[in-house]
């Protein structure tokens, strides 16, 4: 009787475990299905599409009913990639994208100085934290439209200030090839500095005080403590900011799309993703070509990110 009860108990445990596994599978299935439908399948199809002449006139269902001649015309091999690397606008867009990333270290320096100030017991410091963070949570479209108005060559506030304060007639910032990229970069730095500063602030508030107490006893100056203690200990946060900044910067599209809708004079403002959008949904209607460009961008992002991980220290002890 006792053995029978033990067997029943074990069977019940196994049955309950099976039920839990089934329940877990039910909860896991929706994200798996969503991943397959909206990520894996488009991911695989984009690889194939990058070797085709796919456009909006091509019915994707007809891919399975094409005869050999139609399929040969549709599948064009590496022609998209050859055309891409011979297109001057692609190289301009690539240069513009990397130029905008110059704002990453500039924004980091500004953010760390703000974070050091925010970490002190100053009057209304919490209000300043909120003020600097507002652009981060604001609509990027609204922010871009605001700065586009500020940069207006005729009645923008920036040119009005330059004329009033210094008697200088400012340029048409967004239509001048030499000023459009720095102008857009300045806006992106301003918009992101609040979020970066809060990341640094969180790091500063969690640094061990014992290091600073020892440094004070040794007679270290404030700058020496920042250089040898604060900045090295914040290196993991800096690494995260650089990696995410490069990945986000490589995918920038809204700012040039609104502030320089045609890509700027002589394509001086368009980014890679803006270039992809133009080729996929513009007059060219070359979606296969756009897929090829997207894969080139993905490879560039992967290489740059891998290099960042390779050359960054994996050591937890960052102190000099």
């Amino acid at each position: 009787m006792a053995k029978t009860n033990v067997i029943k108990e074990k069977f019940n445990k196994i049955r309950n475990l099976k039920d839990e596994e089934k329940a877990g599978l039910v909860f896991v299935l929706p994200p798996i299905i969503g991943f397959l439908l909206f990520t894996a399948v488009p991911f695989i199809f984009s690889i194939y599409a990058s070797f085709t002449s796919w456009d909006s006139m091509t019915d994707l269902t007809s891919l399975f009913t094409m005869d050999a001649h139609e399929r040969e015309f549709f599948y064009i091999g590496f022609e998209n990639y050859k055309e891409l690397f011979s297109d001057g606008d692609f190289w301009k867009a690539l240069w513009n994208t990397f130029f905008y990333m110059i704002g990453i270290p500039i924004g980091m320096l500004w953010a760390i100085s703000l974070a050091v100030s925010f970490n002190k017991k100053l009057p209304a410091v919490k209000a300043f934290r909120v003020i600097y963070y507002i652009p981060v949570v604001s609509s990027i479209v609204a922010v871009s439209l605001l700065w586009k108005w500020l940069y207006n060559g005729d009645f923008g506030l920036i040119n009005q200030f330059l004329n009033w304060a210094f008697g200088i007639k400012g340029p048409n910032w967004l239509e001048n090839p030499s000023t459009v990229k720095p102008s857009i970069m300045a806006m992106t730095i301003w918009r992101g500095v609040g979020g970066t500063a809060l990341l640094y602030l969180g790091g500063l508030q969690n640094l061990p005080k014992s290091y600073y107490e020892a440094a004070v006893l040794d007679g270290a100056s404030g700058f020496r403590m920042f250089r040898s203690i604060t900045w090295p200990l914040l290196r993991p946060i800096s690494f995260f900011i650089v990696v995410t900044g490069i990945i986000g910067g490589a995918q920038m599209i809204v700012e040039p799309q609104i502030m320089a809708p045609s890509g700027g004079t002589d394509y001086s403002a368009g980014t890679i993703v803006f270039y992809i959008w133009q080729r996929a949904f513009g007059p060219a209607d070359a979606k296969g070509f756009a897929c090829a460009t997207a894969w080139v961008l993905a490879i560039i992002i992967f290489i740059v990110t891998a290099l960042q991980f390779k050359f960054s220290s994996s050591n937890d002890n960052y102190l000099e």
Side-chain angles (χ1 to χ4, degrees):
M1 189 69 178
K3 290 183 178 180
T4 304
N5 291 334
V6 170
I7 293 172
K8 285 183 178 181
E9 186 177 350
K10 289 184 177 181
F11 178 78
N12 289 331
K13 287 182 179 180
I14 294 173
R15 187 178 64 180
N16 291 335
L17 183 62
K18 294 289 185 179
D19 291 340
E20 289 178 1
E21 290 176 351
K22 290 177 182 178
L25 184 62
V26 170
F27 282 105
V28 169
L29 272 178
I32 292 177
I33 294 172
F35 171 79
L36 291 174
L37 290 177
F38 301 110
T39 302
V41 173
F43 179 88
I44 296 170
F45 175 75
S46 69
I47 300 175
Y48 171 73
S50 69
F51 297 100
T52 68
S53 59
W54 176 39
D55 56 28
S56 61
M57 300 299 292
T58 306
D59 184 2
L60 295 181
T61 58
S62 67
L63 296 179
F64 305 100
T65 58
M66 287 181 177
D67 56 33
H69 177 73
E70 290 174 331
R71 191 172 289 108
E72 182 180 353
F73 176 78
F74 183 70
Y75 182 81
I76 59 176
F78 287 93
E79 291 302 316
N80 284 330
Y81 293 92
K82 292 178 182 177
E83 180 185 349
L84 172 65
F85 291 120
S86 62
D87 186 1
D89 283 347
F90 165 74
W91 294 107
K92 290 178 183 177
L94 188 63
W95 160 246
N96 296 339
T97 302
F98 282 111
F99 184 93
Y100 292 134
M101 292 182 189
I102 297 173
I104 296 174
I106 298 173
M108 290 172 65
L109 291 174
W110 186 10
I112 189 64
S113 62
L114 286 175
V116 171
S117 301
F118 291 162
N119 198 36
K120 297 178 180 179
K121 295 181 179 180
L122 299 174
V125 66
K126 293 183 179 179
F128 278 103
R129 292 177 190 172
V130 173
I131 290 170
Y132 273 96
Y133 196 71
I134 286 175
V136 180
V137 296
S138 299
S139 166
I140 188 171
V141 175
V143 171
S144 300
L145 288 171
L146 172 65
W147 278 80
K148 183 178 181 179
W149 178 71
L150 291 173
Y151 283 132
N152 187 279
D154 297 323
F155 52 81
L157 287 181
I158 293 177
N159 279 356
Q160 288 187 30
F161 173 77
L162 290 175
N163 185 42
W164 170 76
F166 306 103
I168 299 174
K169 180 177 174 55
N172 198 335
W173 299 92
L174 299 178
E175 294 183 11
N176 189 327
S178 61
T179 59
V180 62
K181 284 193 289 290
S183 300
I184 295 177
M185 184 179 68
M187 186 272 286
T188 58
I189 294 172
W190 172 85
R191 183 175 182 271
V193 70
T196 307
L198 284 188
L199 287 174
Y200 277 130
L201 178 62
L204 288 172
Q205 292 181 341
N206 286 281
L207 296 182
K209 295 181 180 180
S210 57
Y211 294 129
Y212 295 96
E213 292 170 353
V216 170
L217 292 176
D218 289 340
S221 64
F223 176 77
R224 176 66 179 174
M225 285 190 286
F226 177 83
R227 188 177 71 85
S228 300
I229 300 176
T230 305
W231 185 247
L233 288 176
L234 291 177
R235 198 175 300 167
I237 297 176
S238 299
F239 174 71
F240 171 79
I241 292 169
V242 170
V243 171
T244 56
I246 290 175
I247 294 174
Q251 301 176 63
M252 187 170 73
I253 180 175
V254 177
E255 296 89 335
Q257 191 176 31
I258 291 176
M259 301 178 75
S262 62
T265 305
D266 196 26
Y267 217 76
S268 54
T271 60
I272 288 289
V273 178
F274 180 80
Y275 176 81
I276 293 171
W277 171 78
Q278 276 191 323
R279 295 305 298 264
F281 302 103
D285 190 22
K287 291 180 173 54
F289 180 88
C291 287
T293 312
W295 270 103
V296 171
L297 173 62
I299 293 170
I300 292 173
I301 293 175
F302 174 80
I303 292 173
V304 173
T305 305
L307 290 174
Q308 287 287 326
F309 276 96
K310 181 177 177 59
F311 291 110
S312 67
S313 174
S314 58
N315 243 326
D316 289 335
N317 184 15
Y318 297 100
L319 294 181
E320 299 175 354

